[in-house]
Each structure stands twice: as structure tokens, then as C-alpha cells.
């Protein structure tokens, strides 16, 4: 959102603000990659604020580290004469300095001055650096990785530049049904409620994949080129060592290093991490998928729902696995998932995720409502019993049924069938028994 030269974004739940405080009348040209992450103003304190100013004084700059990535350079240093903004960064493109940024010690505030015509490059690098450093102590890590989603989970591919991360993602897209690219260079991993989630970001390298999406972490796969395809599990120290080179951070800063260590240690202990030696072929993708997709961890109910609530409130869609058979025959539990979105109004016939009877969450269909917003729910696969809730206790509405191969079916394209099924409630017991013994056995 642009209001009074202020821009606000949310990535992986972390809000950051860009303020244009230059005296120049020229508009600040934010990169297009940030548009999917625009968020409405909030009263919450931002994770960091970047102020674009006319000039910063870095005359006392002392260099610490020089990073060069194919003509894109970042020189990291410190200022000896400061007003509390002692952390300093110079951004260079093809040997020419295009921006200078100074930041305070906890990376919650920064000032950027832009030199020359490469405004977007300077902004993009400054924001990526600030995001990585300001979130390092919040169980969040900006990875150098390509990541795909499949069957409602995220699979990350790590490796040195040139290893074939993007190639392996493309092989999944081509040969593994239901695969989608989430990000091709800099996804974010965040641990929320004791579980790891992967998020798209505005930074995706040479591939323009700037998607505001998220998924529970399925597995992390370290890649290396080989004349064969083989995969093995990494544990403990090996797993930790595979993660560290792929996570952006200022590791010579003790406070930030300790924050990153918390995240890395948690992932090494709890995530499924592998090493794949591979050729750039379909067999490598099929072997990888067959191995890593076997883990189907079910999130604790409270963890899953709170993450759903957070994500849909940000305007995102969320894919959530469905348990049990209470929504047969339209949704098959322990096989299908549903895609959920925030809804402003709930109608009779909607399938919703709601807190019911003050005791539990269900994904059931609305069968009646009162003028004051009271709702009665019932599972399509139930033969008796209803639940009661209110519109304000509806977390989200289910729009799509998602099958294991990634195919989606709109839940509302067969309204006649839904109405007929409701009318058949008196004989539903026998219809469901036949369905379970015949159709369900064939498709599960």
C-alpha cells in the first residue's frame, strides 16, 4: 500500500515498512516482485523499517566482508562515527556503487540512499539484507534454495550455485503430478507453534516466481551432481552441516548467529533432511519424490488451525488435510485436502472450518443459519448430530477439494447433488455403507 510515500509488506508473517523520505519529487519505484506481498496498515510494530533518504554519511566506513555474486556485490562494514546506525552496507552492480545503507544494531531501523539509475536493484538488495538480519532471531531463515509444493507440502532443494537446484525443481514440475513452484532462489522458513513452514518471497533470483504462498515443510534435500541417482537420510551433525551454507546471515555477529543456530538446530533435529546424488533426469525426480513424500506428518490440531487463521487473515489460501469420514462422499478423509480462504459471508451449503459448540474445530457443511449469524453445521458423511457456531467463529471457507495428485475440484459445482444428498438423510446410513464397501475401497 502507498500512503504518504509509505509502503507496507508482509513476508512469512513478518511486516516491514518502506518510507520514502527524499526531498525529490520522483516516485519511489518499488520492484514488481513486492506487489503480491502488499499488506494493509497494521497497529503491530513492523519487524523493520527502511527509510529511503537523500544521503547517508558513511565516511568512517570500515570494511568487514566483501561478497561478489556474478557482478552483484555487497560490501559489509561498520561505521566508527555514528548516531546509533553503525552497521553499514554498500551495494554495487557491475563495479558501480548504486546504494548505501546504514542500520541500527538490532536491524529494526535502516536508512538507504540510492546512487545512479539502479533504484530497484538497490532497494531489492537492501530489503533482502534487512529481512534476513532482522528476522534471524525470530526462528526465521532466508534460504538459498529452490522449493516446490506437492500434495500440500513444501520440498526444498539445496546446493551450491550451479548444482542444479532449479533443474531439479523443473524435473518435479514435469514428471511429478500436482507439483507447483513456490520460489526458485530465496524462500523463507519459519518455525511457528513447533512446526516448520515454507513461504514464498519477493526474492527469486533469475526466475520470476514471486508468490505469496506457504506450505508445511515436507523435506529438505541437499543436491550434488553424480553419474548415478542415489539418496540417503542425513541426521544430526550431517543435517546441520547441510543447512548452514544455504542460510543467509551475518554469522560474525554473535546475537544473530545464536538466533540462526536456534532455527538450524531445530530443523536438524525435527525436519526430514536428505542428500541426493543425481543426474539431471526424470529418474532423479521420481526417486526423490518416492523417498521424501513417504513422510506424512499430521500437525497437532491447535497448531494447524492457528496457522490457517494467521494465513487466511493475510489474504492467502491454505491447503489443509482432512481427517476422518464425516464429509463423505464429497471429501474423502485421510486422502483429500481442502483449499481454504477467508470469507466475509457464510451461506447455507458452504463447507467451513469453524470452532463449534465451544469445544472443537470441524470442517462441515452449513445446513441452516439464523438472521443474527447463528449457524448449524453437519458433516455430509454423518447420519445424525449437528454442531452449532456463529459466523464470527468461522475461520475460513473451503472452496476446493484437493486430491493427492494435486487435482482440484470446486466444492460447489454440484449443488443439485448436495441438495439431493441432504434429502436422502433418512437412508444415508445404507448409502454410505454401500459406498464404503465399493467405491471407497477402489479409490483409497
Amino acid at each position: 500500500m502507498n500512503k504518504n510515500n509509505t509502503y507496507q509488506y508482509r513476508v512469512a508473517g513478518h511486516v516491514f515498512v518502506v518510507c520514502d523520505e527524499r526531498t525529490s519529487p520522483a516516485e519511489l519505484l518499488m520492484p514488481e516482485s513486492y506487489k503480491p506481498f502488499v499488506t494493509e496498515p497494521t497497529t503491530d510494530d513492523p519487524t523493520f523499517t527502511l527509510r529511503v533518504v537523500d544521503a547517508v554519511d558513511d565516511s568512517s566506513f570500515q570494511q568487514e566482508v566483501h561478497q561478489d555474486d556474478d557482478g552483484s556485490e555487497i560490501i559489509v562494514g561498520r561505521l566508527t562515527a555514528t548516531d546509533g546506525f553503525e552497521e553499514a552496507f554498500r551495494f554495487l552492480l557491475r563495479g558501480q556503487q548504486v546504494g548505501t545503507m546504514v542500520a541500527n544494531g538490532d536491524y529494526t531501523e535502516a536508512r538507504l540512499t540510492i546512487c545512479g539509475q539502479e533504484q530497484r536493484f538497490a532497494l531489492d538488495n537492501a530489503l533482502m539484507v534487512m529481512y534476513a538480519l532482522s528476522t534471524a532471531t525470530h526462528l526465521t531463515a532466508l534460504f538459498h534454495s529452490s522449493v516446490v509444493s506437492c500434495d500440500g507440502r513444501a520440498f526444498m532443494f539445496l546446493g551450491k550455485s550451479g548444482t542444479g537446484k532449479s533443474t531439479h525443481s523443473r524435473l518435479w514440475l514435469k514428471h511429478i503430478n500436482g507439483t507447483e513452484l513456490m520460489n526458485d532462489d530465496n524462500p523463507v522458513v519459519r518455525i511457528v507453534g513447533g512446526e516448520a513452514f515454507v513461504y514464498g518471497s519477493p526474492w527469486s533470483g533469475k526466475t520470476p516466481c514471486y508468490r505469496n504462498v506457504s506450505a508445511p515443510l515436507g523435506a529438505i534435500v541437499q543436491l550434488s551432481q553424480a553419474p548415478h541417482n542415489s539418496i540417503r537420510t542425513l541426521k544430526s551433525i550431517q543435517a546441520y552441516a547441510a543447512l548452514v551454507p544455504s542460510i543467509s546471515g551475518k554469522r560474525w555477529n554473535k546475537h544473530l548467529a545464536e538466533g540462526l543456530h536456534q532455527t538450524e538446530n531445530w530443523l536438524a533435529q525435527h525436519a526430514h533432511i536428505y542428500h541426493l546424488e543425481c543426474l539431471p533426469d526424470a529418474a532423479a525426480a521420481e526417486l526423490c519424490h518416492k523417498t521424501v513424500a513417504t513422510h506424512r506428518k499430521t500437525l497437532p490440531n491447535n497448531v494447524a488451525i492457528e496457522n490457517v487463521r494467521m494465513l487466511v487473515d493475510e489474504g492467502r489460501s491454505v491447503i489443509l488435510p482432512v481427517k476422518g469420514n464425516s464429509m463423505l462422499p464429497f471429501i474423502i478423509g485421510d486422502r483429500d485436502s481442502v483449499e481454504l480462504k477467508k470469507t466475509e459471508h457464510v451461506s447455507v451449503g458452504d463447507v467451513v472450518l469453524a470452532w463449534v459448540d465451544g469445544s472443537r474445530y470441524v470442517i462441515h457443511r452449513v445446513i441452516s443459519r439464523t438472521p443474527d449469524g447463528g449457524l448449524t453445521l453437519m458433516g455430509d458423511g454423518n447420519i445424525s448430530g449437528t454442531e452449532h457456531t456463529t459466523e464470527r467463529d468461522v475461520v475460513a471457507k473451503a472452496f476446493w477439494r484437493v486430491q493427492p495428485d494435486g487435482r482440484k475440484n470446486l466444492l460447489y459445482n454440484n449443488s443439485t447433488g448436495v441438495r439431493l444428498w441432504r434429502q436422502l438423510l433418512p437412508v444415508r446410513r445404507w448409502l454410505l455403507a454401500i459406498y464404503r464397501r465399493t467405491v471407497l475401497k477402489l479409490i483409497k
Side-chain angles (χ1 to χ4, degrees), residues 35 56-57 59 76 80 169 177 193 214 273 363 370 391 405 416:
K35 279 188 176 180
V56 296
D57 180 8
S59 57
V76 185
T80 56
S169 285
N177 288 336
S214 65
I273 302 178
I363 297 177
T370 62
E391 199 160 15
D405 62 3
T416 301

Side-chain angles (χ1 to χ4, degrees), residues 20 27 177 244 251 297 309 355 371 386 411 437:
D20 184 3
E27 182 182 357
N177 288 336
V244 172
R251 295 185 182 275
K297 184 174 182 180
R309 187 187 298 278
W355 177 254
T386 58
L411 285 169
R437 294 190 185 113

